[in-house]
Amino acid sequence: MRWRDTVRTATEAVRTHRLRSALTMLGILIGITAVILTVGLGNGAKADVRDQINELGTNILVVSPGSTTDSDGLRGGFGSASTLTTQDAAALASADNAPDVQAVAAVTSSSVSLVNGDTNWTTTIMGTTPSWQEVRSREVTSGRFIDQDDVDDAALVVVLGPDTADELFDGGNAVGQTVTYDGTSLEVIGVLEELSSSEQTSNNDLAIVPESTYAERLVGGSDRNSVSSIYVKASSEGALSAAYQEADATLLNLHGITSADDADFSIATQESILTAASSVDKTMTVMLGGIAVISLLVGGIGVMNIMLVSVTERIREIGLRKAIGARPRNIRRQFLVEASVLGLAGGLLGVLLGIVGAVLLPRFADARVILSVPASLLAIAMAIGIGVVFGVYPASRAARLAPIDALRNE
Amino acid sequence: MSAVLELHDVTKVYAAGELEVKALAGVTLDIHEGEMVAVIGPSGSGKSTLMHILGCLDVPTAGTFRLAGEDVSELDEDRLADLRNRHIGFVFQQFNLLAYLPAWRNVELPLVYAGVEPHERHERALAALGQVGLANRAEHKPGELSGGQQQRVAIARALVTEPALILADEPTGNLDSTSTGEVLDLLDALHRSGRTVVLITHEADVADRAQRVIQIRDGLVWQEPDHAVA
């Protein structure tokens, strides 16, 4: 018997029992959709991390107060102890101490409520220096960024993030307007360019004031020299580890600490922070992956169940085929191909539904889905494989039927 | 004339639980090329078992059975399937047509398993349908045909491989008298054109069509009366 005829026979059987075939496919379809979306979500999360690193610059170090014993920089008192000061930032900016450091920006931040007339918006206000713009590689779309004069004068000026400006000024022009914080009026002198693909809204929703303004006229605090974190930009990506060493040594020296284990600060790269953040996505991927595997298993059992029903129901057909010359292997192949056709169809429809899901999901959830062609092909192959694996038992049962018993069956 | 079918002291024993049932108790029989033979006998006589053995659907427990000179007893399942495919055309009481295929696709089925080219299959299937007078029904599905027509499609399917033997098991059992006549006329015509036909039946008037009637009783060829007696 030719393969073409085997395939035709199998597809005819699938088409003859449309509803049953459709229901059988459903299990595999759901499983494959889950696989496609899981991989897509994983890819999306990875791409987000990559984009953020690219946007923020791979050559950035973040110095945070508080000790840490973990190299990923997230453990320990993250910003809990005010051990970093503007002096530390100044030391890091010095070419003598850290020749591989290009720019340094100390940041002090807190969550505050800004008011424009009746509009009220809670955002992160950050006190920093003009170097922040260089360190974070951010552009200003309208107006200007804070300059050294603003810092020297502790000027009542603010640069808003694009989202913040939209919220407070309802999409209108913000530059030249004023916003109020706790009774103090601040002039909006600029709006930052939007970071498009960023998941972290904090990049687009923020308000930047000169560090002097922050410390002396707005938030204050017990120690006006302490800062929340210091951003350090290495002169190049290659110089990152050198910059790391220099920053570490400079701060240990400045704080009079002899052992690195006793450090009252921690230094993290952007990459390590984002990797840690993406572990949350990993958990979700594992969970969805589990659902995918389970539904594929259930789908496979569905295929087996239906194939067994099909063998029983078509026992006379099998008997006839054998009587007129079908070898056992012809019958086995017919049912195996039938099962894999069900798998293939389920797989194709699953990928299709996955694509639909990839389009719809980002509209309802804060998720980015990037479909992968190799993963989709693999998923289809997997669906066929499931059909074959779960079709083996029913098919060999059909092949083993004695023709006389099969024909005698009423 | 050479014998197409040669049975020598064939026995068939079925195990039914603890019991052993002797369905055939030593049958010796020759059927020659071009003969039309009727096998008659009451139910339980062993005629179905004989038909299964003649059709290579089952192998004897003991004794030898030669089909077209080939000893069948020792063949494995694959070889038996090939033998059925090449040498035997089956006609069943229940027609056994596949409902989802049009008539010509049912007829070409044995050729599919023989590995014949699709184009040639189509031609030969249409030719076989022409022989049974259903050339104009080739595209009809079995459900759209009368019982008699369905059995004629089944006969066309039996013919299409040009087998040495046409084995008809109660071919008229499910048909009215008109259709019965048509089907028997067709088997008659096949016989006259030189084919070997074995007809298994319990109806005397069906057996009347045969040259030779073999009566089976209790697993033995009880008598082999000549045509006139039956």
Side-chain angles (χ1 to χ4, degrees):
Chain A
M1 192 180 186
R2 296 144 163 273
W3 270 109
R4 222 175 62 188
D5 291 318
T6 308
V7 171
R8 185 164 74 157
T9 304
T11 47
E12 272 167 355
V14 170
R15 270 188 286 143
T16 306
H17 307 281
R18 271 169 226 271
L19 180 64
R20 179 206 284 171
S21 303
L23 290 174
T24 310
M25 280 174 215
L26 204 60
I28 291 189
L29 188 154
I30 291 167
I32 294 297
T33 305
V35 169
I36 294 286
L37 286 180
T38 305
V39 173
L41 281 169
N43 285 345
K46 256 182 247 160
D48 279 339
V49 168
R50 212 170 34 240
D51 286 355
Q52 283 178 44
I53 289 173
N54 289 342
E55 272 180 356
L56 301 175
T58 43
N59 46 350
I60 285 192
L61 299 170
V62 184
V63 185
S64 310
S67 66
T68 175
T69 51
D70 197 335
S71 60
D72 70 15
L74 281 185
R75 294 267 300 274
F78 198 55
S80 57
S82 299
T83 54
L84 289 178
T85 62
T86 48
Q87 285 85 349
D88 291 331
L92 291 173
S94 142
D96 295 337
N97 291 330
D100 290 297
V101 170
Q102 184 190 323
V104 173
V107 171
T108 315
S109 63
S110 56
S111 183
V112 300
S113 204
L114 295 180
V115 180
N116 170 40
D118 294 336
T119 316
N120 196 315
W121 185 248
T122 302
T123 185
T124 307
I125 194 163
M126 302 201 311
T128 186
T129 52
S131 57
W132 185 91
Q133 197 187 2
E134 183 189 357
V135 171
R136 299 299 299 266
S137 311
R138 294 292 294 265
E139 299 295 323
V140 173
T141 44
S142 58
R144 62 176 180 85
F145 198 70
I146 56 170
D147 58 23
Q148 195 54 46
D149 288 346
D150 295 328
V151 177
D152 294 343
D153 301 346
L156 290 170
V157 293
V158 65
V159 175
L160 298 178
D163 290 356
T164 323
D166 277 353
E167 292 294 341
L168 283 170
F169 296 98
D170 200 20
N173 185 27
V175 178
Q177 313 268 13
T178 55
V179 292
T180 315
Y181 162 66
D182 201 18
T184 310
S185 288
L186 298 162
E187 186 193 352
V188 180
I189 55 167
V191 175
L192 293 170
E193 188 181 37
E194 180 148 8
L195 286 187
S196 55
S197 58
S198 178
E199 286 283 307
Q200 290 186 339
T201 51
S202 60
N203 284 326
N204 289 326
D205 181 12
L206 75 174
I208 294 166
V209 296
E211 61 178 0
S212 49
T213 312
Y214 182 95
E216 292 161 26
R217 305 177 76 161
L218 296 177
V219 182
S222 53
D223 182 357
R224 295 191 168 184
N225 283 331
S226 77
V227 296
S228 309
S229 52
I230 302 172
Y231 289 89
V232 176
K233 185 177 197 174
S235 52
S236 72
E237 208 177 324
L240 191 64
S241 64
Y244 185 100
Q245 305 287 345
E246 291 160 11
D248 200 36
T250 306
L251 290 178
L252 285 174
N253 189 31
L254 205 60
H255 294 190
I257 296 163
T258 46
S259 164
D261 291 339
D262 299 332
D264 57 356
F265 59 91
S266 63
I267 306 176
T269 59
Q270 282 290 346
E271 202 153 358
S272 72
I273 290 173
L274 290 169
T275 306
S278 72
S279 70
V280 178
D281 293 323
K282 224 176 266 169
T283 312
M284 192 162 110
T285 305
V286 166
M287 215 176 72
L288 276 173
I291 294 170
V293 166
I294 290 168
S295 52
L296 278 178
L297 196 71
V298 172
I301 293 166
V303 168
M304 178 142 87
N305 191 9
I306 288 302
M307 291 308 294
L308 284 172
V309 170
S310 180
V311 167
T312 310
E313 199 181 66
R314 285 150 67 195
I315 200 158
R316 288 180 69 85
E317 174 183 339
I318 296 164
L320 171 83
R321 286 180 183 276
K322 288 193 143 192
I324 63 173
R327 291 177 169 197
R329 86 168 66 111
N330 296 138
I331 301 296
R332 186 181 309 118
R333 279 181 193 158
Q334 178 187 333
F335 281 90
L336 269 182
V337 172
E338 205 173 310
S340 33
V341 165
L342 287 174
L344 172 67
L348 286 174
L349 291 174
V351 168
L352 210 68
L353 194 68
I355 293 170
V356 172
V359 173
L360 292 183
L361 199 63
R363 296 192 187 177
F364 298 108
D366 185 23
R368 184 170 168 199
V369 184
I370 296 174
L371 292 177
S372 140
V373 174
S376 304
L377 293 178
L378 196 73
I380 291 170
M382 207 153 77
I384 298 174
I386 285 166
V388 171
V389 166
F390 286 93
V392 165
Y393 175 63
S396 44
R397 243 172 74 150
R400 278 201 312 268
L401 279 172
I404 43 169
D405 294 336
L407 280 172
R408 210 182 277 143
N409 187 278
E410 289 300 318
Chain B
M1 273 193 292
S2 65
V4 180
L5 303 168
E6 299 169 65
L7 284 88
H8 183 74
D9 199 22
V10 165
T11 60
K12 182 72 194 179
V13 180
Y14 291 111
E18 298 276 297
L19 285 172
E20 286 202 332
V21 178
K22 214 167 200 179
L24 291 179
V27 171
T28 301
L29 188 66
D30 279 4
I31 293 171
H32 296 279
E33 200 179 321
E35 264 195 306
M36 182 160 178
V37 176
V39 177
I40 61 168
S43 7
S45 61
K47 77 181 164 7
S48 290
T49 307
L50 181 64
M51 182 253 169
H52 290 150
I53 292 197
L54 291 176
C56 302
L57 292 167
D58 210 348
V59 288
T61 309
T64 56
F65 167 47
R66 289 171 179 279
L67 174 74
E70 207 166 345
D71 189 350
V72 170
S73 323
E74 301 299 319
L75 298 181
D76 64 13
E77 255 199 281
D78 284 356
R79 298 293 313 283
L80 284 175
D82 293 350
L83 208 65
R84 291 195 293 269
N85 186 255
R86 266 185 284 126
H87 295 305
I88 302 167
F90 287 95
V91 180
F92 301 97
Q93 181 177 357
Q94 308 286 347
F95 320 142
N96 281 330
L97 298 175
L98 303 185
Y100 58 89
L101 296 180
W104 79 267
R105 291 283 308 280
N106 268 288
V107 173
E108 70 154 9
L109 267 185
L111 300 177
V112 171
Y113 290 108
V116 176
E117 290 275 348
H119 183 70
E120 189 188 337
R121 291 201 308 249
H122 187 225
E123 275 184 3
R124 282 170 69 177
L126 291 184
L129 278 171
Q131 264 184 282
V132 300
L134 287 176
N136 56 342
R137 293 282 191 274
E139 295 295 340
H140 289 237
K141 293 201 171 160
E144 299 157 7
L145 299 170
S146 73
Q149 286 172 329
Q150 288 187 50
Q151 192 60 305
R152 277 149 69 195
V153 172
I155 292 172
R157 182 180 63 196
L159 281 177
V160 78
T161 52
E162 313 208 335
L165 170 67
I166 292 195
L167 197 55
D169 184 12
E170 303 275 12
T172 59
N174 274 4
L175 299 178
D176 59 30
S177 55
T178 318
S179 302
T180 298
E182 279 173 17
V183 165
L184 290 177
D185 287 347
L186 207 49
L187 291 174
D188 255 350
L190 289 172
H191 166 232
R192 276 197 306 277
S193 69
R195 292 193 191 280
T196 314
V197 179
V198 174
L199 197 60
I200 288 158
T201 185
H202 62 273
E203 292 170 77
D205 52 338
V206 173
D208 274 349
R209 301 273 189 141
Q211 273 178 316
R212 182 151 72 111
V213 176
I214 298 165
Q215 198 169 53
I216 301 277
R217 195 170 289 173
D218 301 328
L220 288 165
V221 176
W222 183 254
Q223 57 180 150
E224 209 175 306
D226 64 40
H227 192 193
V229 176

